[in-house]
């Protein structure tokens, strides 16, 4: 509307060509230009009138979006027969065609095979209207529950942490200069004022005092997280991962974790370390938290769990390798989400890992952690940092495995490092190395690990081929369904989207829908983005 | 025919007009067709006092003549005969005592035509029938209605030429012909800009006042150009000056801009309003003299004519108003309300609580004593008691409107109410209410209306798919009454007969009511929880029984969408208003309306009863709020100041104040007794759909499309006012911009527009809306 207003209100009329096209469609050829002008003005006026009436219905329907039924109702007001066939909430089934210098919009009607309709499975039944109550506010305070919006949105948390002392910078604001002057003029007064001003200009920060409920919550959650009851822990972690109102407790959580790691590494308490890492994971999963502020505490804790020399009392029996793997994955995830050009997390982490890996004196446990940490960062890192060192590492492993028995622990460590390397490198090599896989060739390239790598690579190749086949098959079935559905519905983009949405929501991963669309239905995804999402519907 | 009826029902208000435009009376006769039922249902309450007031004889004569002339003109000889017979008149004979007015103080306007209201309605139907039978042009109906419409809102004094034309030939063309005299179209721009220059050069204190003239002048000049087929000049004129107009007229300008042809003017309601109702301006005498002198000096007749014919300038003595003062009051479709329009006495006080309360109070107190908390209650009770015993000078007499007698169940409910009231939380800025939010899930943008019962036990929703759904929010499930056959088997003497008549098998948490054939836009529970009203796009209001969960009555009368309906706080009566611009008062046992309130220039968007049931307020998309007297159908208050259609109204519990919310996102507060705007609450960023005062009136809650519930300090808003020495006489208010101080809390929902609010009897705030993911 506003746009319409900006472009000279009076003169917005339909083009006369449309009038001609419409006249032709009802069998009136050769309409004179004058009549076209008269008609288009009249039609434009009526359309505007109806649109204004339709707005009324929208307002009374308590909506922000004008629907086709509003237009129908507006027509009804004017005693005009409503337009039938536009009941769809989502789109208007017009098609556009041009050719021979003409442009047309038409309603596409396709033949539909009845048996196809009968044979297609029915769509899910829409849910019935239901009523749900929650507390929007309790005595003036909004409780932080999932039903309410997060009390401090992520942007606000970010703004607080990234522009912390903007207000206090001297000379930047008028107040600052005034304060400076008064301070210079009369010292005692100025001081008083300074204090006063200082109070006023304290940066608005998240309160550090927790309410009694929050304290209780914090206590309960931390106890459950490191306690012995697994069910309780799962619940607590779920709460950390989903609750919107945790940002005030975030500093405490991060301190809890970093201190916890510090203590438990010394005490070699593997179980507690695992619990703490799971807390980190839950915090990272929570979409309402702005974690950047606390990375300085969390990252060292995580890295400790990856590379620490000893994480458990009996390294030969306990599976501390799993913790290292898990923590490495966490590290990779935080690199992905938090690494920016300013904080350079990824490169700093990579450097740390590489440095200790290159050190000859590094123990096998740490070595394992470094490699795991690097490998999780993705195939590119593997390619540039790990593959070139395979031969050296292989020699080291060989020395332990085939040399004189030094200690059982070393042997186990070397064994784990070997399988880790094989696991991560095989898939990467499978991609970058051309076939055929020659064992001798591998041996010359990668030394001791060569032959084993070769067999792993071959396995990876066959697996990839198998997967590709499966993917093909599923897409085939999907396209078949598409074909059927396309006959029923008219707009493929909507159908594909809907169908894929169904598919993905069934597999619980809606986030990758757009990705799937981009890859599999390129035409649809672009079209859908333009035609379907733009009216601001969201879904 | 719909249009005919709606058109004829116009024109009940404006009693202070000196000389009535002729067809006002004509349009009027339907308005009083159903007099307020004079006995209360189920009792013999005294009848409403009908003081016969004779309309002035010359007016009667004029009106009758006009009607007759009109009928003859349209070759409705049959109707002429009928009218003459009904009125008992020979051609020019008059019966000066024939007028029967249905209320005191209606002056000449209300009921000035007919000797019998009942006859009037029968006459009306016959007129409408025969006019259609006479096979006039098919558009006849609308035209006729338009012409009637013309006068209803026309609040000005005598219109030279115009009213005469109306008498002779009430047709659109005649109404429009007021525009026929024209100057050179090219000069319009010159005239307008010269005036603009003049106003820009006057003293500051006058400039703001005189600037008010711009908008109506602009509109009328534009319409004159369009009417005289100077399309291009009109467009040029519009383009040149539309940017200068106040931003709050944007919506109207948009309508105006689409209209460029004479043919379009026919049948466009907004335009007819511009042309036929006089735009009201309030200007101080000094400023007016200045303008007059200027125009006369310059011989600027074109503008002077427009001012004379289409503007009503309400001149006052005293200081010219400031820009902010003017902006606060302007914005409605037809300018500000005239000062006289808000002069009538309004009995805004509350009715005395029925005497039945007294013994119950004792019982209640005893019960309280048993519970061991009598302390809190006693002082409060006393204050309340003393208040109700003393006759409030502002309260209407108990029998001003016949009200239904209390049933036993009502008394029980009153006891419950009193008990709950003692446990009520005292709210205040330091003691904010808790808010419980009811989200409608899976409503798919289809939720259009919500209501709670007074005791908060039931919640009802109206939906775009024409259904009405009722939920029980207490553990008590909803049950239907047994079928007639089963009812026969019940022992009617047993103590729990009320329990026995219910059918356990039908118990469920929610029930769906089917019946409407269009979206349900308004919904209201009766105070006794036995009935539910719903109004819909299909033009009907339906009454549902909450015992049988069936539709009892479909009230037909509005032929266009009915936007809102509301039950009187005492039950029995209800009001409805819709697209046809007429608010109707109904009684549940009458299938025809008792009163028709017309005067709004655009859709009635919301309706609300005053706590004492003697008045009702309607908000409209003409951006005014009107307060109507239920007794005589008069419009007693017109409030202007909103800049968008009004979607929410709320009376304060003491009946003194009214709060209104509109699409402009502002809440305005009005003092009903003085007829003044007393506050403006800014904060919302989208349409306000619901407003509610807490039970003791300390807090005002507002819910909006912007997904927030906001709480405002109503006490402070109204207290400040009393210390302020506002000049009730002039009605010029100085609004402080203290919205931020009054805002006590903002609560954001998760993408859920707030469309209804309700304070429980213990002052817990309930809110409702549909979740729109």
């Amino acid at each position: 509307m506003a746009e319409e207003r900006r472009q000279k209100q009076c003169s917005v009329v339909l083009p006369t060509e449309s009038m001609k096209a419409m006249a032709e469609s009802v069998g009136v050829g050769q309409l004179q230009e004058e009549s076209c002008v008269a008609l288009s003005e009249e039609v434009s006026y009526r359309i505007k009138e109806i649109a204004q009436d339709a707005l009324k219905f929208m307002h009374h329907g308590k909506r922000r979006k004008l629907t086709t039924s509003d237009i129908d109702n507006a027509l009804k007001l004017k005693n005009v027969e409503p337009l039938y066939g536009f009941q769809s909430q989502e789109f208007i089934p017009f098609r556009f065609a041009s050719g021979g210098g003409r442009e047309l919009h038409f309603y596409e009607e396709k033949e539909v095979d009845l048996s196809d309709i009968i044979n297609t499975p029915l769509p899910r039944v829409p849910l019935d209207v239901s009523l749900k109550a929650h507390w929007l506010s309790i005595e003036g305070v909004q409780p932080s529950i999932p039903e309410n919006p997060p009390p401090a949105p992520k942007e606000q948390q970010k703004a607080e942490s990234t522009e912390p002392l903007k207000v206090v910078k001297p000379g930047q604001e008028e107040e600052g200069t005034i304060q400076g002057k008064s301070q210079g003029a009369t010292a005692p007064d100025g001081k008083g004022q300074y204090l006063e001003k200082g109070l006023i200009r304290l940066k608005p920060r998240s309160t550090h005092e927790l309410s009694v409920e929050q304290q209780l919550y914090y206590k309960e959650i931390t106890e459950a997280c490191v306690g012995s009851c697994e069910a309780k822990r799962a619940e607590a972690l779920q709460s950390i991962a989903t609750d919107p109102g945790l940002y005030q407790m975030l500093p405490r959580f991060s301190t809890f974790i970093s201190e916890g790691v510090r203590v438990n590494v010394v005490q070699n308490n593997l179980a507690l370390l695992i619990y703490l890492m799971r807390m980190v994971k839950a915090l990272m999963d929570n979409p309402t938290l702005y974690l950047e502020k606390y990375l300085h505490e969390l990252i060292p804790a995580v890295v400790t769990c990856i590379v620490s020399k000893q994480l458990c009392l009996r390294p030969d029996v306990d599976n501390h390798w799993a913790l290292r793997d898990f923590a490495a994955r966490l590290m990779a995830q935080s690199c992905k989400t938090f690494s920016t050009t300013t904080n350079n997390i990824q490169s700093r982490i990579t450097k740390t890992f590489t440095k200790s890996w290159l050190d000859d004196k590094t123990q096998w446990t740490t070595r394992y952690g470094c490699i795991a940490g690097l490998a999780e960062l993705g195939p590119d890192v593997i390619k540039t940092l790990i593959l070139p060192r395979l031969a050296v590492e292989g020699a080291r492993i060989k020395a332990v495995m085939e040399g004189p028995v030094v200690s059982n622990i070393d042997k186990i460590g070397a064994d784990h490092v070997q399988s880790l390397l094989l696991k991560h490198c095989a898939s990467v090599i499978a991609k970058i190395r051309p076939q055929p896989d020659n064992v001798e060739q591998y041996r010359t390239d990668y030394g001791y690990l060569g032959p084993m790598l070769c067999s792993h690579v071959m396995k990876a190749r066959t697996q990839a081929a198998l997967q590709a086949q499966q993917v093909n098959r599923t897409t085939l079935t999907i396209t078949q369904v598409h074909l059927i559905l396309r006959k029923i519905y008219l707009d493929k983009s909507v159908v594909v989207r809907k169908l894929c949405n169904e598919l993905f929501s069934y597999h619980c991963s809606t986030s990758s829908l757009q990705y799937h669309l981009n890859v599999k239905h390129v035409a649809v995804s672009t079209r859908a983005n333009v035609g379907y999402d733009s009216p601001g519907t969201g879904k | 025919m719909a249009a005919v009826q709606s058109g004829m029902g116009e024109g009940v208000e404006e009693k202070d007009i000196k000389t009535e435009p002729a067809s006002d009376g004509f349009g009027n006769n339907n308005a009083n067709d159903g007099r307020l039922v004079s006995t209360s249902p189920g009792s013999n309450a005294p009848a409403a006092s009908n003081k016969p007031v004779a309309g002035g004889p010359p007016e009667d004569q004029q009106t009758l003549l006009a009607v007759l002339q009109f009928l003859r003109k349209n070759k409705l000889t049959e109707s002429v005969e009928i009218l003459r017979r009904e009125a008992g008149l020979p051609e020019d004979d008059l019966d000066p005592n024939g007028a029967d007015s249905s209320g005191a103080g209606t002056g000449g306007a209300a009921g000035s035509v007919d000797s019998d209201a009942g006859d009037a309605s029968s006459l009306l139907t016959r007129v409408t029938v025969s006019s259609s039978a006479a096979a006039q042009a098919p558009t006849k109906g609308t035209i006729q209605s338009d012409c009637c419409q013309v006068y209803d809102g026309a609040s000005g004094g005598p219109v030279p030429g115009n009213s005469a034309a109306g008498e002779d030939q009430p047709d659109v063309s005649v109404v429009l012909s007021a525009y026929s005299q024209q100057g050179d179209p090219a000069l319009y721009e010159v005239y307008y800009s010269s005036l603009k220059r003049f106003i820009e050069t006057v003293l500051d204190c006058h400039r703001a006042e005189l600037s008010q003239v711009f908008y109506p002048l602009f509109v009328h000049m534009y319409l004159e150009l369009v009417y005289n087929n100077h399309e291009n000049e009109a467009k040029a004129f519009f383009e040149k000056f539309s940017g200068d107009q106040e931003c709050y007229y944007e919506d109207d300008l948009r309508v105006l801009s689409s209209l460029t042809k004479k043919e379009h003017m026919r049948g466009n309601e907004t335009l007819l309003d511009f042309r036929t109702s006089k735009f009201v301006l309030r200007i101080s005498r000094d400023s007016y003299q200045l303008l007059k002198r200027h125009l006369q000096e310059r011989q600027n007749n074109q503008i002077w004519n427009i001012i004379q014919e289409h503007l009503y300038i309400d001149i006052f003595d005293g200081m010219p108003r400031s820009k902010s003062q003017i902006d606060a009051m302007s914005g409605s479709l037809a300018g500000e309300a005239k000062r006289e329009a808000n002069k009538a006495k309004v009995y805004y006080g509350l009715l005395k609580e029925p005497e039945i309360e007294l013994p119950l109070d004792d019982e209640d107190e005893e019960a309280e004593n048993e519970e061991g908390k009598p302390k809190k209650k006693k002082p409060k009770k006393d204050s309340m008691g003393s208040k109700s015993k003393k006759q409030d000078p502002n309260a209407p007499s108990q029998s001003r409107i016949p009200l239904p007698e209390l049933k036993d169940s009502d008394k029980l409910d009153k006891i419950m109410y009193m008990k709950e009231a003692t446990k009520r939380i005292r709210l205040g800025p330091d003691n904010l209410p808790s808010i419980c939010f009811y989200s409608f899930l899976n409503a798919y943008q289809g939720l259009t209306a919500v209501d709670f019962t007074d005791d908060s036990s039931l919640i009802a929703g109206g939906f775009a798919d024409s259904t009405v759904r009722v939920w029980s929010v207490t553990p008590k499930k909803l049950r239907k009454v047994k079928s007639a056959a089963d009812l026969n088997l019940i022992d009617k003497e047993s103590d729990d007969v009320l329990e026995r008549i219910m059918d356990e098998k039908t118990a469920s948490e929610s029930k769906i009511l089917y019946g409407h054939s269009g979206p349900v836009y308004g919904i209201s529970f009766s105070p006794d929880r036995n009935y539910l009203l719903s109004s819909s796009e299909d033009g009907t209001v339906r009454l549902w029984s909450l015992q049988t969960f069936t539709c009892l009555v479909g009230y037909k009368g509005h032929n266009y969408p009915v936007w809102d309906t509301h039950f009187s706080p005492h039950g029995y009566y209800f009001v409805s208003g819709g697209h046809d611009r007429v608010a109707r008062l109904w009684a549940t046992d009458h299938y025809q309306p008792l009163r028709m309130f017309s005067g709004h220039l655009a859709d009635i968007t919301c309706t609300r009863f005053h706590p004492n049931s003697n008045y009702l307020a309607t908000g409209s998309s003409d951006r005014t709020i009107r307060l109507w007297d239920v007794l005589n159908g008069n419009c007693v208050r017109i409030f202007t100041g909103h800049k968008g259609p009004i979607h929410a109204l709320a009376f304060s519990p003491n009946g003194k104040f009214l709060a209104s919310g509109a699409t402009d996102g502002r809440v305005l507060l009005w003092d009903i007794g003085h007829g003044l705007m007393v506050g403006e609450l800014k904060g919302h960023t989208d349409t306000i759909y619901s407003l509610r005062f807490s039970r003791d009136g300390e807090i005002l809650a507002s819910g909006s499309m912007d997904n927030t519930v906001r709480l405002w300090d109503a006490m402070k808003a109204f207290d400040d006012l009393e210390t302020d020495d506002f000049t009730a006489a002039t009605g010029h208010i100085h609004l402080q911009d203290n919205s931020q101080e009054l805002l006590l809390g903002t609560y954001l929902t998760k993408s859920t527009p707030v469309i209804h609010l309700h304070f429980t009897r213990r002052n817990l705030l309930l809110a409702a809306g549909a979740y729109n993911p």
Side-chain angles (χ1 to χ4, degrees), chain A residues 254-274:
Chain A
S254 85
T255 315
F256 177 80
I257 291 167
S258 73
E259 286 299 315
V261 168
R262 202 191 308 246
V263 171
N264 287 298
V265 161
V266 173
Q267 297 185 344
N268 291 324
N269 194 337
L270 179 66
L272 276 180
L273 287 173
I274 292 175

Side-chain angles (χ1 to χ4, degrees), chain B residues 87 127-128 251 470 485 516 591:
Chain B
V127 169
T128 51
D251 287 341
V470 184
H516 280 296
Y591 64 89

Side-chain angles (χ1 to χ4, degrees), chain A residues 9 41-42 45 56-57 59-60 62 64 76 128 130 132-137 139-140 142 146 149, chain B residues 238 257-258 261 264 268 434-435 437 439 441-442 448 469 521 537 563 603 686 689 705 747-748 750:
Chain A
Q9 303 192 339
E41 275 175 8
E42 178 68 16
Y45 170 71
K56 268 184 204 169
F57 283 94
H59 277 302
H60 283 282
K62 284 142 185 144
R64 277 205 197 85
K76 216 167 134 192
D128 197 17
S130 60
K132 188 171 186 290
H134 71 268
W135 289 108
L136 185 66
S137 146
E139 288 173 1
Q142 192 160 27
Chain B
F238 190 93
S257 72
S258 63
K261 292 230 183 300
H264 295 162
N268 188 319
S434 300
I435 308 172
F437 201 98
S439 307
L441 303 175
N442 311 313
T448 45
R469 287 161 197 255
Y521 289 117
E537 185 271 339
W563 297 131
D603 299 31
D686 209 333
Y689 277 118
M705 197 71 190
Y747 305 97
L748 194 64
K750 213 170 178 180

Side-chain angles (χ1 to χ4, degrees), chain B residues 514-734:
Chain B
Y514 297 102
H516 280 296
S517 61
V520 179
Y521 289 117
I523 208 163
S524 179
F525 277 107
S526 73
D528 61 2
R529 295 186 298 285
N530 281 326
Y531 305 106
L532 175 68
L533 276 175
S534 63
S535 72
S536 156
E537 185 271 339
D538 63 15
T540 62
V541 179
R542 278 175 187 270
L543 182 74
W544 308 86
S545 163
L546 297 179
Q547 302 292 335
T548 60
F549 292 96
T550 51
C551 182
L552 301 176
V553 197
Y555 300 96
K556 292 169 189 166
H558 294 279
N559 280 299
Y560 290 104
V562 189
W563 297 131
D564 200 11
T565 184
H566 186 233
F567 244 114
S568 141
H570 295 87
Y572 188 56
Y573 300 111
F574 65 92
V575 59
S576 67
H579 179 70
D580 60 5
R581 308 158 174 215
V582 183
R584 286 170 161 79
L585 176 82
W586 311 76
T588 46
D589 57 359
H590 285 59
Y591 64 89
Q592 280 184 322
L594 306 181
R595 289 279 181 278
M596 296 174 60
F597 307 99
S598 64
H600 276 298
L601 300 175
D603 299 31
I604 290 175
T605 47
C606 53
T607 56
R608 198 89 206 154
F609 256 99
H610 190 275
N612 68 16
S613 286
N614 278 261
Y615 296 90
L616 53 93
T618 54
S620 160
S621 36
D622 67 8
R623 309 188 283 276
T624 63
I625 299 152
R626 283 172 186 251
L627 192 71
W628 308 87
D629 191 336
V630 167
L631 179 66
N632 49 30
N634 286 339
C635 175
V636 289
R637 289 286 179 273
I638 304 175
F639 296 132
T640 61
H642 271 298
K643 319 290 190 237
I646 289 139
H647 278 277
L649 290 170
F651 282 99
S652 67
N654 61 8
K656 271 171 100 171
F657 301 103
L658 177 69
S660 61
T663 54
D664 56 11
R666 299 180 318 146
V667 177
L668 295 183
L669 305 172
W670 310 91
D671 181 332
I672 295 170
H674 296 99
L676 284 176
M677 185 195 295
V678 293
E680 179 187 14
L681 306 175
K682 284 188 257 186
H684 282 292
T685 55
D686 209 333
T687 309
I688 293 163
Y689 277 118
S690 63
L691 280 171
R692 201 53 73 99
F693 282 95
S694 67
R695 293 282 173 158
D696 294 326
E698 307 101 331
I699 299 267
L700 173 66
S702 60
S704 156
M705 197 71 190
D706 64 10
N707 302 344
T708 56
V709 175
R710 281 170 207 257
L711 302 178
W712 309 89
D713 191 342
M715 282 299 240
K716 196 171 169 203
F718 297 135
D719 273 352
D720 286 357
L721 148 85
E722 269 151 10
T723 55
D724 214 15
D725 57 333
F726 61 80
T727 45
T730 55
H732 302 157
I733 34 104
H734 296 270

Side-chain angles (χ1 to χ4, degrees), chain B residues 20 91 161 183 297 351 391 408 512 566 603 637 758:
Chain B
E20 278 303 308
E91 174 116 28
E297 270 171 22
L351 290 177
Q391 179 62 39
D408 285 347
I512 307 180
H566 186 233
D603 299 31
R637 289 286 179 273
H758 175 82

Side-chain angles (χ1 to χ4, degrees), chain B residues 122-385:
Chain B
S122 71
L123 166 70
L124 177 79
T125 45
R126 255 174 283 181
V127 169
T128 51
V129 165
S130 51
S131 78
S132 67
Q136 298 283 332
T139 52
K140 195 71 219 166
T142 40
I143 290 172
Q144 202 177 347
S145 86
D146 287 338
C147 96
C148 294
Q149 198 110 38
V150 163
Y151 294 101
D152 66 84
S155 39
V159 184
N162 199 351
S163 71
E167 264 177 33
D168 287 336
Q169 193 190 10
D171 200 341
V172 178
S173 57
V174 178
V175 179
L176 294 179
S177 70
Y179 280 136
S180 60
Q181 1 104 329
Q182 50 156 318
D184 183 356
L187 287 177
Y188 275 60
E189 282 189 24
V190 180
Y191 289 145
Y192 189 86
S193 25
S194 82
L195 183 72
K196 195 172 144 190
R197 267 199 307 281
F198 162 69
I199 290 179
E200 273 163 8
T201 53
V202 298
L203 285 174
D204 280 355
C205 60
H206 298 301
R207 191 187 304 148
E209 286 214 314
L210 292 181
S211 301
Q212 295 178 83
V213 180
F214 280 136
Y215 175 68
L217 262 188
F218 169 78
V219 172
H220 285 292
M221 289 172 89
Y222 176 74
L223 290 178
E224 254 183 62
L225 285 171
V226 170
Y227 182 78
N228 293 311
N229 287 324
H230 303 299
E231 194 182 328
N232 293 328
E233 284 89 349
K235 277 184 188 171
F237 183 76
F238 190 93
E239 234 160 87
K240 190 157 179 197
F241 298 113
S242 66
D244 301 346
Q245 309 306 326
E246 299 284 356
C247 55
Y248 38 79
Y249 292 120
E250 197 175 297
D251 287 341
D252 291 339
L253 288 178
R254 200 176 293 144
V255 175
L256 213 57
S257 72
S258 63
L259 177 131
T260 51
K261 292 230 183 300
K262 190 177 172 182
E263 296 79 51
H264 295 162
M265 296 174 85
R266 206 175 276 270
N268 188 319
E269 294 130 357
T270 323
L271 288 182
L272 276 162
D273 297 335
F274 276 132
R275 227 158 316 118
T276 54
S277 57
K278 286 193 157 198
F279 197 94
V280 182
L281 301 171
R282 268 190 220 175
I283 291 184
S284 71
R285 190 171 296 284
D286 294 348
S287 306
Y288 180 68
Q289 296 294 355
L290 212 61
L291 177 72
K292 199 171 163 186
R293 214 176 309 132
H294 167 77
L295 291 176
Q296 279 168 352
E297 270 171 22
R298 291 291 184 89
Q299 303 276 304
N300 206 339
N301 286 330
Q302 201 70 34
I303 289 182
W304 187 241
N305 280 342
I306 292 179
I307 290 182
Q308 294 246 294
E309 279 177 32
H310 300 295
L311 268 53
Y312 179 94
I313 296 186
D314 194 5
I315 301 164
F316 61 87
D317 294 307
M319 282 285 289
R321 293 187 296 168
S322 69
K323 175 93 175 102
S324 63
Q325 278 178 316
I326 293 168
D327 279 346
M329 298 291 285
S330 55
S332 105
L333 195 65
E336 293 180 42
K338 279 180 289 176
R339 273 172 301 155
E340 298 91 77
N342 288 336
K343 283 279 185 278
K345 165 110 176 127
V346 174
Y347 300 98
Y348 55 79
L350 299 186
L351 290 177
K352 235 193 310 183
E353 287 293 310
E355 279 173 20
I356 196 78
E357 209 72 58
L358 292 171
L360 293 177
D361 276 358
D362 298 340
E363 274 174 38
D364 200 30
E365 235 153 7
E366 280 163 26
E368 279 302 315
N369 281 329
E370 279 163 19
E371 282 168 35
K373 315 184 208 169
K375 272 184 194 166
K376 250 190 187 174
K377 185 182 164 224
K378 262 204 168 160
K380 207 166 134 200
K381 177 110 296 170
D382 284 348
S383 68
M384 279 167 76

